[in-house]
Amino acid sequence: MNGWLLAIVQTGVFIAAAPLFSGWVKWVKCKLQNRRGAPPWQPYRDLNKLFGKEIVLARNASPIFRIAPYIVFSVTAVACSVVPLLAVGLPTSALADVIVLVGLFALGRFFLSLAGMDIGTAFGGMGSSREVTISSLAEPAMLLAVFTLAMSVSSTNLSSMISTLLQRPFHLYPSFIFAAMGLVLVALAETGRIPVDNPATHLELTMIHEAMILEYCGRHLALMEWGAMLKLMLYAVLLVNLFLPWGVALTFAPAALLFATLILTVKLLLLGLALAIAETGLAKMRLFRVPQLLGLAFILSLLGMLSHIILEVR
């Protein structure tokens, strides 16, 4: 298959599958809590309903409030195109750098926070301040975790990292274990999952992401919700493809791509199951304890880097 065509198809699959992954996590959580729950494809129905609704804007809404949903969704979609999903070595691999990825996340978060404060409501400002506080603590931990892998393969390019790890014999590196644990905690914070945030509630004392998008409706809200689902899928793919890269195709042959699709589906289903079990067993953390959780993520990531320098470099 042509490389550019595969890159476009891969990004389309990424964007199309994100609501299904989010719906799968919700469905499993309902089953674990003895509730009937909506089917895993319910997010598609919700997005379709939101896209069909009329947009209502506040009188004091600025152009930033109007364009923020498009920017947030577009930036997240571009981030999807740089993260290897099924294969490595695509023409977009030159952009698949971890620093570029963190920059795209920061750009989307910047406009999301601006939109939250734009209308001037108390909830919007509160959510934006909490989002910026958490991200300022999460980003260093994420960079340290991914740099640990980058030091091991001598590259910050995601495609090169996965390709190198696939061609190496299997070894259980202590640095990878610490880095994976740190990145999991960062992913929970960045995607607004329990114990940091609860996307299913609108409680004044706890909500973060939902507080910033309370004033949106119609297709604006649909784009914001879809962007959040994309971000959850992005972190899930990063975790399974960086730390469990087996199955990712090194060639563009149809058989290799089909095998990669099957393996990735299994890995995401298992990761979604683990996330649902964790969210069912854990309680929402007090907001003032979130910095301690992200401090733990930073320490784990730092331990991963030190383990690599002390134990693995010869």
Side-chain angles (χ1 to χ4, degrees):
M1 182 181 287
N2 180 274
W4 281 107
L5 178 61
L6 179 58
I8 294 171
V9 171
Q10 182 172 276
T11 305
V13 170
F14 215 128
I15 295 172
L20 186 61
F21 180 69
S22 179
W24 163 252
V25 175
K26 288 180 183 177
W27 184 80
V28 175
K29 279 179 65 178
C30 289
K31 294 299 178 185
L32 292 174
Q33 296 168 0
N34 292 323
R35 294 187 289 131
R36 178 177 295 177
W41 49 87
Q42 182 63 35
Y44 294 108
R45 297 175 178 168
D46 296 337
L47 290 176
N48 183 54
K49 183 175 66 176
L50 288 174
F51 275 115
K53 285 190 173 183
E54 182 185 359
I55 294 177
V56 179
L57 292 171
R59 291 181 180 177
N60 57 339
S62 75
I64 291 178
F65 187 81
R66 295 182 178 88
I67 65 172
Y70 302 99
I71 294 178
V72 170
F73 181 81
S74 302
V75 165
T76 315
V78 171
C80 292
S81 68
V82 304
V83 174
L85 180 68
L86 300 175
V88 294
L90 296 173
T92 53
S93 296
L95 294 174
D97 194 281
V98 66
I99 299 174
V100 173
L101 186 63
V102 172
L104 289 172
F105 283 153
L107 181 61
R109 187 182 303 111
F110 174 72
F111 278 95
L112 182 61
S113 303
L114 281 184
M117 295 184 291
D118 188 80
I119 300 297
T121 61
F123 281 151
M126 178 189 68
S128 297
S129 65
R130 290 176 177 179
E131 174 77 7
V132 173
T133 302
I134 289 175
S135 64
S136 66
L137 299 172
E139 280 182 3
M142 179 185 177
L143 284 171
L144 271 184
V146 185
F147 280 163
T148 301
L149 271 72
M151 290 173 67
S152 178
V153 300
S154 303
S155 173
T156 58
N157 186 281
L158 292 169
S159 185
S160 299
M161 292 164 70
I162 295 173
S163 176
T164 306
L165 292 174
L166 277 173
Q167 295 173 29
R168 279 184 182 176
F170 173 72
H171 289 292
L172 192 59
Y173 297 106
S175 60
F176 281 25
I177 297 175
F178 284 122
M181 293 166 64
L183 193 58
V184 166
L185 296 182
V186 170
L188 291 176
E190 288 281 55
T191 57
R193 311 299 302 192
I194 293 176
V196 178
D197 192 8
N198 187 354
T201 67
H202 289 79
L203 296 177
E204 176 185 353
L205 293 177
T206 60
M207 62 180 174
I208 301 173
H209 178 264
E210 296 299 318
M212 292 184 288
I213 62 174
L214 271 181
E215 299 298 322
Y216 281 112
C217 62
R219 66 172 178 275
H220 287 166
L221 181 58
L223 290 172
M224 287 292 195
E225 295 285 5
W226 202 350
M229 295 175 197
L230 281 176
K231 198 170 183 181
L232 176 64
M233 179 91 169
L234 269 170
Y235 272 99
V237 172
L238 273 178
L239 285 170
V240 298
N241 278 357
L242 280 179
F243 296 100
L244 302 170
W246 303 289
V248 178
L250 293 173
T251 66
F252 301 161
L257 294 175
L258 180 61
F259 182 71
T261 305
L262 291 175
I263 295 297
L264 178 67
T265 303
V266 173
K267 288 193 288 188
L268 288 179
L269 288 177
L270 292 177
L271 183 64
L273 177 64
L275 177 60
I277 293 174
E279 291 195 340
T280 303
L282 294 174
K284 170 75 176 63
M285 181 180 287
R286 289 180 62 197
L287 186 65
F288 297 111
R289 294 189 62 188
V290 172
Q292 297 176 15
L293 180 76
L294 294 173
L296 176 62
F298 184 84
I299 291 173
L300 288 170
S301 302
L302 183 62
L303 284 175
M305 184 172 287
L306 293 176
S307 299
H308 172 75
I309 296 172
I310 298 171
L311 302 176
E312 298 165 13
V313 175
R314 298 177 181 174

